[in-house]
Amino acid sequence: MAQAIPAGQKWWSGGKSPFNVEYGKLMMWYFLMSDAFTFGAFLISYGTIRFSSNSWPDPNEVFRAFPLMGSMHLPLVFVSLMTFILIMSSVTMVLAVASGHAGDRKKVTFYMILTIIGGLMFLGCQAWEWTHLHGEGAWWGRNPFNNINGSKASTNFTNFFFTITGFHGFHVFSGVIINIIMLIKNLRGDFAKRGHYLMIEKAGLYWHFVDLVWVFVFTCFYLL
């Protein structure tokens, strides 16, 4: 017969927690790990189709446009700008977290505003890119670009591109909303009253994850 467990009995009596990490931060890591599996499944599926095909559209031809530059041939320049903007927003997020550790509320506000602006700029760039590609006839189920060997391409390229970049864009949008909420809470003094800025750090983990995923998306679609 199973013995009854006395109320209030502690299962862990060591000097430190096994993980030695705050609960909310640990849960954020669990969420990011599960989200990484989703992105990994998408990118592995893309890679399987990409490298099992005899030929594929040339990214230097597909992603050659730049706003207000007309028909100038500028391969990968615009997406490089997008990548730079997102990386810089990750830098400002690092500075926001560091300012939180130092208890500097004003600097947290300043760097969070810069991070939000960077996220919005990235989303604006992605919206322009999608609009431009749609204007050229690209969409789910439609691929106007030929393969690099001149043969007619399947719709696999555009289907994967819009699905994966759209999924990533949704994450960026979610991150911007989270950062706006964190900014409002910081302006209200919520974190200063608590005496810590752990929520900023948790939001930073999510933002850095979004930036890291973009590195893989950028490599798969724009470089290979």
Side-chain angles (χ1 to χ4, degrees):
M1 179 181 296
Q3 295 181 346
I5 304 298
Q9 178 174 333
K10 294 183 178 180
W11 290 98
W12 175 256
S13 58
K16 292 185 178 180
S17 165
F19 294 104
N20 195 28
V21 64
E22 192 262 342
Y23 175 79
K25 192 188 296 185
L26 180 63
M27 292 301 103
M28 176 59 79
W29 277 112
Y30 282 154
F31 168 74
L32 295 180
M33 189 163 41
S34 65
D35 215 17
F37 292 147
T38 305
F39 274 107
F42 274 133
L43 293 174
I44 289 171
S45 298
Y46 169 79
T48 301
I49 298 298
R50 164 71 176 85
F51 292 107
S52 64
S53 302
N54 293 327
S55 189
W56 203 252
D58 183 2
N60 290 305
E61 293 298 324
V62 177
F63 308 107
R64 67 188 186 281
F66 197 93
L68 306 178
M69 290 297 178
S71 59
M72 288 184 64
H73 190 78
L74 300 169
L76 305 182
V77 173
F78 186 63
V79 70
S80 298
L81 174 62
M82 292 172 59
T83 304
F84 175 77
I85 291 171
L86 199 59
I87 290 174
M88 289 307 299
S89 74
S90 194
V91 172
T92 55
M93 177 57 87
V94 168
L95 295 173
V97 172
S99 299
H101 288 162
D104 194 330
R105 179 179 165 189
K106 289 184 178 179
K107 283 190 176 180
V108 170
T109 298
F110 176 71
Y111 288 122
M112 287 300 294
I113 290 174
L114 291 182
T115 302
I116 291 167
I117 290 174
L120 292 174
M121 289 176 64
F122 179 86
L123 289 172
C125 289
Q126 190 170 54
W128 183 89
E129 183 182 54
W130 273 40
T131 301
H132 174 76
L133 291 174
H134 185 265
E136 292 193 334
W139 202 238
W140 279 279
R142 301 202 307 265
N143 183 6
F145 309 108
N146 290 328
N147 290 325
I148 196 170
N149 63 2
S151 61
K152 183 176 177 57
S154 71
T155 59
N156 286 330
F157 172 75
T158 48
N159 289 342
F160 274 111
F161 174 80
F162 287 112
T163 299
I164 295 177
T165 60
F167 190 56
H168 176 266
F170 174 75
H171 279 70
V172 176
F173 176 76
S174 301
V176 169
I177 297 300
I178 291 171
N179 288 340
I180 290 174
I181 294 172
M182 295 301 104
L183 174 62
I184 293 172
K185 291 177 72 65
N186 183 58
L187 290 172
R188 289 169 45 184
D190 292 356
F191 304 134
K193 293 174 185 176
R194 296 178 188 177
H196 62 77
Y197 288 77
L198 277 174
M199 290 297 291
I200 298 292
E201 190 171 350
K202 295 170 193 174
L205 288 174
Y206 181 83
W207 194 254
H208 297 319
F209 171 77
V210 168
D211 289 358
L212 179 61
V213 168
W214 177 252
V215 172
F216 291 97
V217 174
F218 175 80
T219 302
C220 290
F221 283 104
Y222 299 93
L223 298 182
L224 297 180

